Amino acid sequence: MARDRSSTRRRAGVLAAALTALTLTGALTAAHAPLTAKPELRRAAQPKGHDVSSHQRRVDWHAARAKGARFAYVKATESTTYRNPYFAGQYDGARRAGLIRGAYHFALPNRSSGAAQAAYFVRHGGDWQADGVTLPPALDIEYNPYDRHHKCYGLSRTRMVRWIRSFSDEVRRETGRRPVIYTTTNWWTACTGNSRAFAADHALWIASHGSSGPGRLPGGWRYWTFWQHGTKGRLPGDQDLFGGSATRLRSFARGR
C-alpha cells in the first residue's frame, strides 16, 4: 500500500517490480479459505473492497458502496512519527456508508521496534473490537520506499522476523487480534527467508496486479484472505477482494 507523506511519490512506482508477486493469505481455517468455483465466478461472488491513504483525501464512500465496495482498509500510521491527516474522515466515512472497515500501519523497521510501532498504531486508529464492522489491524510490510538500496531496512532475516513478531504480539496484547500481514512474496523471501512463523495464525493479504490470480503464496500460507489485484479501478485507491463470501467477511470481522 502507498506511503503517503508526499502526494507526488507513490508506492506503485517504487515497487513496480515487486507487485507482480505481492501475496497475502488468510490463516489456515475453513472460514477464511478462498472459494472453489471457477475464477470468473469466484471473483464475481467475492466481496469487493479497496484500501486508501491520504492520497485519496476525501473519499465519496457512498459512491464507492454504490459501485460495489463492501469493505475498506484505511492507512492510519507510519513508523511512530506519521499519522494520516485524513484518517478519521475516511475511517468514519466508510462506516457511515455501510462498509466493514479496518486500519493499516506502514512499517519502517529501521526506525523503531515492532512493539513501539504497534503501540503507536493502536493509539491512533489501529484498535479493534468484535462489532462485526471492524476488520483486524493490518501490518503493511514491504520494500523500503525511502531507500531502494536497503530493501530490508538493514535488518537481517532473523531480526526482521523478530520485528514482525514484536509488532504482532503488541497488537494482540492491546486489541486481542493478530494483525493481517500485507507483504510481497519476493520481499518476504528476501527479508524473512520465507519464514513460516506467521502462517498458522495471521491472515495474509495478497496483491498481484494485472494477473488472473494471486500467484505463489509466501511462507507456509495456503490461503489468502484479501487480494489486492490492482492500483486503479472502479473504487478509490487500490482494488481488493475478500477470499470468501459476504457472510465469511462479517465472521472474519467478528474474529470467528
Side-chain angles (χ1 to χ4, degrees), residues 35-227:
L35 304 179
T36 57
K38 293 180 180 180
E40 62 272 18
L41 298 178
R42 181 167 65 243
R43 291 187 66 169
Q46 291 166 310
K48 298 177 178 62
H50 52 137
D51 57 89
V52 301
S53 67
S54 68
H55 288 297
Q56 285 70 45
R57 299 191 178 189
R58 295 171 179 85
V59 177
D60 187 338
W61 292 103
H62 288 281
R65 180 170 175 80
K67 292 178 181 179
R70 294 297 177 265
F71 69 89
Y73 264 107
V74 180
K75 180 173 182 177
T77 53
E78 181 174 313
S79 186
T80 57
T81 56
Y82 175 81
R83 297 167 60 186
N84 173 8
Y86 299 95
F87 175 77
Q90 292 173 339
Y91 192 75
D92 295 341
R95 177 67 196 107
R96 288 194 297 269
L99 275 65
I100 299 174
R101 81 287 188 257
Y104 77 87
H105 173 80
F106 191 93
L108 293 178
N110 60 332
R111 301 288 179 86
S112 53
S113 70
Q117 293 194 28
Y120 182 79
F121 173 44
V122 172
R123 287 197 306 272
H124 300 295
D127 203 357
W128 173 82
Q129 52 186 326
D131 55 9
V133 296
T134 305
L135 293 169
L139 172 65
D140 177 358
I141 189 159
E142 54 182 276
Y143 286 107
N144 186 349
Y146 300 109
D147 186 348
R148 64 181 180 177
H149 299 296
H150 295 90
K151 296 178 179 179
C152 300
Y153 301 89
L155 274 64
S156 68
R157 292 173 173 180
T158 298
R159 288 180 62 201
M160 185 63 73
V161 170
R162 289 175 179 168
W163 192 98
I164 296 168
R165 177 59 65 184
S166 175
F167 184 97
S168 175
D169 286 348
E170 182 65 18
V171 167
R172 185 180 184 185
R173 188 186 72 80
E174 297 203 31
T175 72
R177 288 292 296 268
R178 291 287 186 187
V180 173
I181 294 178
Y182 173 109
T183 193
T184 75
T185 296
N186 283 352
W187 185 91
W188 195 261
T189 300
C191 299
T192 76
N194 208 28
S195 172
R196 302 171 69 91
F198 303 92
D201 56 359
H202 291 72
L204 189 63
W205 189 350
I206 177 169
S208 183
H209 301 174
S211 65
S212 60
R216 181 172 61 88
L217 307 182
W221 277 288
R222 294 174 56 200
Y223 307 112
W224 55 271
T225 297
F226 298 101
W227 171 21

